[in-house]
PDB file of all heavy atoms in Angstrom:
ATOM      1  N   GLU B  73      82.251  39.792 148.132  1.00 71.00           N
ATOM      2  CA  GLU B  73      83.130  38.821 147.538  1.00 71.00           C
ATOM      3  C   GLU B  73      84.101  38.252 148.573  1.00 71.00           C
ATOM      4  O   GLU B  73      84.713  38.998 149.226  1.00 71.00           O
ATOM      5  CB  GLU B  73      83.879  39.442 146.320  1.00 71.00           C
ATOM      6  CG  GLU B  73      84.372  38.472 145.344  1.00 71.00           C
ATOM      7  CD  GLU B  73      83.260  37.745 144.607  1.00 71.00           C
ATOM      8  OE1 GLU B  73      82.015  38.173 144.686  1.00 71.00           O
ATOM      9  OE2 GLU B  73      83.521  36.598 144.305  1.00 71.00           O
ATOM     10  N   GLU B  74      84.115  36.913 148.696  1.00 71.00           N
ATOM     11  CA  GLU B  74      85.102  36.325 149.658  1.00 71.00           C
ATOM     12  C   GLU B  74      85.864  35.210 148.944  1.00 71.00           C
ATOM     13  O   GLU B  74      85.238  34.456 148.248  1.00 71.00           O
ATOM     14  CB  GLU B  74      84.257  35.671 150.841  1.00 71.00           C
ATOM     15  CG  GLU B  74      83.693  36.672 151.822  1.00 71.00           C
ATOM     16  CD  GLU B  74      84.753  37.609 152.541  1.00 71.00           C
ATOM     17  OE1 GLU B  74      85.938  37.258 152.545  1.00 71.00           O
ATOM     18  OE2 GLU B  74      84.315  38.664 152.870  1.00 71.00           O
ATOM     19  N   PRO B  75      87.159  34.974 149.098  1.00 72.00           N
ATOM     20  CA  PRO B  75      88.017  35.888 149.913  1.00 72.00           C
ATOM     21  C   PRO B  75      88.237  37.230 149.219  1.00 72.00           C
ATOM     22  O   PRO B  75      88.104  37.340 148.002  1.00 72.00           O
ATOM     23  CB  PRO B  75      89.341  35.110 149.918  1.00 72.00           C
ATOM     24  CG  PRO B  75      89.336  34.269 148.692  1.00 72.00           C
ATOM     25  CD  PRO B  75      87.913  33.955 148.504  1.00 72.00           C
ATOM     26  N   ASP B  76      88.544  38.190 150.008  1.00 73.00           N
ATOM     27  CA  ASP B  76      88.556  39.618 149.507  1.00 73.00           C
ATOM     28  C   ASP B  76      89.877  39.973 148.823  1.00 73.00           C
ATOM     29  O   ASP B  76      90.835  40.517 149.372  1.00 73.00           O
ATOM     30  CB  ASP B  76      88.420  40.507 150.831  1.00 73.00           C
ATOM     31  CG  ASP B  76      88.562  41.954 150.497  1.00 73.00           C
ATOM     32  OD1 ASP B  76      88.358  42.271 149.326  1.00 73.00           O
ATOM     33  OD2 ASP B  76      88.866  42.758 151.463  1.00 73.00           O
ATOM     34  N   THR B  77      89.965  39.574 147.525  1.00 79.00           N
ATOM     35  CA  THR B  77      91.172  39.866 146.762  1.00 79.00           C
ATOM     36  C   THR B  77      90.762  40.642 145.543  1.00 79.00           C
ATOM     37  O   THR B  77      89.617  40.650 145.170  1.00 79.00           O
ATOM     38  CB  THR B  77      91.810  38.555 146.199  1.00 79.00           C
ATOM     39  OG1 THR B  77      90.977  37.830 145.396  1.00 79.00           O
ATOM     40  CG2 THR B  77      92.298  37.744 147.402  1.00 79.00           C
ATOM     41  N   LEU B  78      91.643  41.372 144.998  1.00 82.00           N
ATOM     42  CA  LEU B  78      91.397  42.223 143.815  1.00 82.00           C
ATOM     43  C   LEU B  78      90.827  41.455 142.722  1.00 82.00           C
ATOM     44  O   LEU B  78      89.834  41.812 142.128  1.00 82.00           O
ATOM     45  CB  LEU B  78      92.666  43.026 143.435  1.00 82.00           C
ATOM     46  CG  LEU B  78      92.571  43.998 142.240  1.00 82.00           C
ATOM     47  CD1 LEU B  78      91.564  45.022 142.576  1.00 82.00           C
ATOM     48  CD2 LEU B  78      93.860  44.570 141.871  1.00 82.00           C
ATOM     49  N   GLY B  79      91.429  40.276 142.467  1.00 82.00           N
ATOM     50  CA  GLY B  79      90.922  39.423 141.377  1.00 82.00           C
ATOM     51  C   GLY B  79      89.491  39.050 141.496  1.00 82.00           C
ATOM     52  O   GLY B  79      88.742  39.211 140.635  1.00 82.00           O
ATOM     53  N   ARG B  80      89.149  38.554 142.660  1.00 82.00           N
ATOM     54  CA  ARG B  80      87.812  38.168 142.890  1.00 82.00           C
ATOM     55  C   ARG B  80      86.829  39.335 142.774  1.00 82.00           C
ATOM     56  O   ARG B  80      85.816  39.100 142.113  1.00 82.00           O
ATOM     57  CB  ARG B  80      87.716  37.723 144.402  1.00 82.00           C
ATOM     58  CG  ARG B  80      88.249  36.345 144.684  1.00 82.00           C
ATOM     59  CD  ARG B  80      87.173  35.393 144.544  1.00 82.00           C
ATOM     60  NE  ARG B  80      87.655  34.081 144.655  1.00 82.00           N
ATOM     61  CZ  ARG B  80      86.940  32.985 144.632  1.00 82.00           C
ATOM     62  NH1 ARG B  80      85.612  33.090 144.576  1.00 82.00           N
ATOM     63  NH2 ARG B  80      87.501  31.801 144.713  1.00 82.00           N
ATOM     64  N   ASN B  81      87.229  40.441 143.327  1.00 83.00           N
ATOM     65  CA  ASN B  81      86.282  41.552 143.146  1.00 83.00           C
ATOM     66  C   ASN B  81      86.128  41.930 141.737  1.00 83.00           C
ATOM     67  O   ASN B  81      84.953  42.293 141.220  1.00 83.00           O
ATOM     68  CB  ASN B  81      86.945  42.858 143.912  1.00 83.00           C
ATOM     69  CG  ASN B  81      86.692  42.791 145.397  1.00 83.00           C
ATOM     70  OD1 ASN B  81      85.631  42.375 145.849  1.00 83.00           O
ATOM     71  ND2 ASN B  81      87.733  42.996 146.144  1.00 83.00           N
ATOM     72  N   LEU B  82      87.247  41.948 140.915  1.00 86.00           N
ATOM     73  CA  LEU B  82      87.099  42.299 139.464  1.00 86.00           C
ATOM     74  C   LEU B  82      86.259  41.338 138.787  1.00 86.00           C
ATOM     75  O   LEU B  82      85.436  41.769 137.867  1.00 86.00           O
ATOM     76  CB  LEU B  82      88.564  42.409 138.929  1.00 86.00           C
ATOM     77  CG  LEU B  82      89.320  43.656 139.235  1.00 86.00           C
ATOM     78  CD1 LEU B  82      90.748  43.633 138.539  1.00 86.00           C
ATOM     79  CD2 LEU B  82      88.537  44.867 138.838  1.00 86.00           C
ATOM     80  N   VAL B  83      86.373  40.026 139.101  1.00 86.00           N
ATOM     81  CA  VAL B  83      85.554  39.010 138.420  1.00 86.00           C
ATOM     82  C   VAL B  83      84.070  39.318 138.614  1.00 86.00           C
ATOM     83  O   VAL B  83      83.298  39.334 137.687  1.00 86.00           O
ATOM     84  CB  VAL B  83      85.961  37.613 138.874  1.00 86.00           C
ATOM     85  CG1 VAL B  83      84.956  36.619 138.356  1.00 86.00           C
ATOM     86  CG2 VAL B  83      87.287  37.221 138.344  1.00 86.00           C
ATOM     87  N   ALA B  84      83.800  39.531 139.825  1.00 85.00           N
ATOM     88  CA  ALA B  84      82.341  39.823 140.240  1.00 85.00           C
ATOM     89  C   ALA B  84      81.825  41.060 139.482  1.00 85.00           C
ATOM     90  O   ALA B  84      80.735  41.032 138.887  1.00 85.00           O
ATOM     91  CB  ALA B  84      82.181  39.963 141.725  1.00 85.00           C
TER      92      ALA B  84
END
Side-chain angles (χ1 to χ4, degrees):
Chain B
E73 206 57 27
E74 288 301 337
D76 175 21
T77 60
L78 180 60
R80 284 269 175 174
N81 282 320
L82 283 181
V83 168

